[in-house]
């Protein structure tokens, strides 16, 4: 039974979409929703962050999977869904715990399990693609390593927040780190994709 093309996902619009989602989120938080955003931070939670990440980060992981050679629609949908679940576990971690309390780490560890799945799938796909064609572009491996490290930095930031050590004892400091990580991760993927696939 042969494969059927359901749709083509152009790279440039996909990159533009995850950048636009971040821009809309930050624009709303800095503008009309600023008071709600600041009140939420005082309570040790930022729902807007998790809602934006659930779409933008999941789209980013799907794009990385596609660049690694994954083209099966059901696999890409599953990768998107599992990554979304990871992000929502991060939100649940914040809703379950409050600063100064002894944290319930179960949402965090469940999120780590869910978050590992897409990267295992991408690793396997990279290995298969390389063995079959021996032509996986170098920039794809660079994207894989760079974004893997950056994505795990988000989990590290949350872990440090709930350990409450040093500057991370202040929830707002952790929020600033999330903002920087988001900017760096999205910029790194966009520029690497542009340099590797769009410039030529």
């Amino acid at each position: 039974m042969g494969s059927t093309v359901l749709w083509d996902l152009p790279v440039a619009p996909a990159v533009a979409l995850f950048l636009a989602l971040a821009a809309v989120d930050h624009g709303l938080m800095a503008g009309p929703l600023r008071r709600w955003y600041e009140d939420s931070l005082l309570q040790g939670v930022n729902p807007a962050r998790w809602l934006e990440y659930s779409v933008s980060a999941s789209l980013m992981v799907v794009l990385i999977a596609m660049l690694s050679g994954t083209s099966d629609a059901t696999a890409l949908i599953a990768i998107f869904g599992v990554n979304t679940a990871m992000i929502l576990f991060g939100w649940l971690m914040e809703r379950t715990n409050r600063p100064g309390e002894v944290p319930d780490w179960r949402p965090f560890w469940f999120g780590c399990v869910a978050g590992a799945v897409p990267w295992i799938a991408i690793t396997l796909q990279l290995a298969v693609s390389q063995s079959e064609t021996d032509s996986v572009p170098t920039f794809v491996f660079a994207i894989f390593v760079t974004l893997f490290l950056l994505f795990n930095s988000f989990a590290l930031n949350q872990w440090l927040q709930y350990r409450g050590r040093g500057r991370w004892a202040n929830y707002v400091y952790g929020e600033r780190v999330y903002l920087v990580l988001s900017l760096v991760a999205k910029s790194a993927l966009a520029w690497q994709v542009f340099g590797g696939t769009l410039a030529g």
Side-chain angles (χ1 to χ4, degrees):
M1 182 175 177
S3 299
T4 301
V5 176
L6 296 180
W7 65 80
D8 290 318
L9 179 60
V11 173
V15 171
L17 180 56
F18 71 70
L19 292 174
L21 287 168
V24 169
D25 174 49
H26 294 168
L28 289 172
M29 297 310 108
L33 299 180
R34 181 167 182 171
R35 175 164 293 186
W36 172 80
Y37 170 65
E38 292 175 345
D39 289 344
S40 296
L41 294 184
L42 291 175
Q43 298 172 40
V45 64
N46 179 8
R49 180 202 314 125
W50 303 112
L51 290 171
E52 185 250 302
Y53 286 179
S54 69
V55 181
S56 64
S58 299
L59 180 60
M60 290 167 72
V61 170
V62 165
L63 186 57
I64 296 167
M66 291 173 61
L67 291 170
S68 74
T70 304
S71 58
D72 183 77
T74 53
L76 293 172
I77 291 168
I79 287 172
F80 187 97
V82 173
N83 197 80
T84 299
M86 174 197 68
I87 300 297
L88 297 179
F89 275 123
W91 186 3
L92 184 60
M93 181 69 182
E94 285 197 342
R95 285 189 58 84
T96 302
N97 301 289
R98 288 293 180 268
E101 299 176 352
V102 176
D104 176 356
W105 286 98
R106 286 174 294 182
F108 178 86
W109 295 120
F110 294 163
C112 289
V113 172
V117 172
W119 295 101
I120 292 171
I122 294 169
T123 300
L124 293 173
Q125 183 61 55
L126 279 172
V128 169
S129 297
Q130 185 67 11
S131 65
E132 288 181 348
T133 66
D134 196 33
S135 62
V136 177
T138 302
F139 83 91
V140 174
F141 287 105
I143 286 173
F144 174 82
V145 172
T146 303
L147 272 296
F148 175 79
L149 293 174
L150 286 168
F151 269 55
N152 280 279
S153 296
F154 285 85
L156 177 61
N157 187 53
Q158 186 170 65
W159 182 80
L160 288 168
Q161 276 187 310
Y162 286 94
R163 290 283 292 175
R165 300 286 176 83
R167 290 173 291 183
W168 277 269
N170 180 355
Y171 177 85
V172 174
Y173 180 81
E175 172 68 6
R176 293 192 186 109
V177 175
Y178 278 126
L179 292 172
V180 171
L181 287 173
S182 179
L183 174 63
V184 172
K186 291 178 173 70
S187 299
L189 181 55
W191 280 111
Q192 288 179 95
V193 167
F194 176 80
T197 66
L198 303 181

